[in-house]
Amino acid sequence: MLDQRDKPLVWLGDSRQCVRSFPVAARQRSGFELREVQSGKDPSDWKPMPRVGLGVREIRIHADGEFRVMYVAKFAEAVYVLHAFEKKTQQTAKREIDLAKSRFRDLVAERRRERR
């Protein structure tokens, strides 16, 4: 159950549909981990993604395969889910990094415009 102090989730692009396409176990784990992030905690398995943007993290999900959810929680108003995907190789594919990087860049630009 959401607490009033929890940050809302904001899904960018098709990130919500991507998580919904995960197998049940991976989808449930994603939801649990994002819920932890909303309440100010760290996910159980994550790593920083400075190649995508400052403050971007990747939740690592090991359930019915390997899945990743990239998000940024450093902004006061919300947790932004940038991208979610199934990881099929050892190294994260360039297109996955580029897509998350593009969404992060757009988010930062939008926030800058709103402050003016």
Side-chain angles (χ1 to χ4, degrees):
M1 185 171 194
L2 282 178
D3 186 299
Q4 302 223 308
R5 295 169 300 232
D6 292 344
K7 291 182 184 181
L9 277 182
V10 176
W11 302 87
L12 301 181
D14 66 349
S15 58
R16 184 178 222 158
Q17 291 84 351
C18 292
V19 169
R20 285 181 171 163
S21 73
F22 289 178
V24 173
R27 190 169 61 240
Q28 288 173 336
R29 191 79 212 165
S30 299
F32 174 81
E33 298 293 356
L34 286 169
R35 179 74 196 84
E36 292 289 282
V37 172
Q38 282 181 276
S39 66
K41 299 175 188 158
D42 284 334
S44 59
D45 188 0
W46 65 275
K47 72 176 195 176
M49 294 299 289
R51 285 176 51 202
V52 174
L54 199 60
V56 175
R57 291 179 169 188
E58 175 184 79
I59 299 172
R60 299 155 45 117
I61 297 157
H62 319 282
D64 295 335
E66 293 296 313
F67 298 87
R68 302 294 186 261
V69 178
M70 291 188 192
Y71 72 94
V72 62
K74 71 178 185 175
F75 303 121
E77 70 277 5
V79 173
Y80 294 93
V81 182
L82 302 171
H83 187 36
F85 57 95
E86 181 174 8
K87 190 165 181 194
K88 298 181 182 208
T89 61
Q90 190 74 20
Q91 187 172 3
T92 302
K94 183 181 183 318
R95 72 179 173 278
E96 310 294 2
I97 297 285
D98 290 347
L99 180 56
K101 190 183 291 187
S102 170
R103 288 179 180 166
F104 180 74
R105 205 172 24 245
D106 292 347
L107 170 64
V108 170
E110 179 66 27
R111 291 181 81 256
R112 204 171 279 139
R113 279 192 297 275
E114 288 175 0
R115 282 196 308 231
R116 289 184 185 165

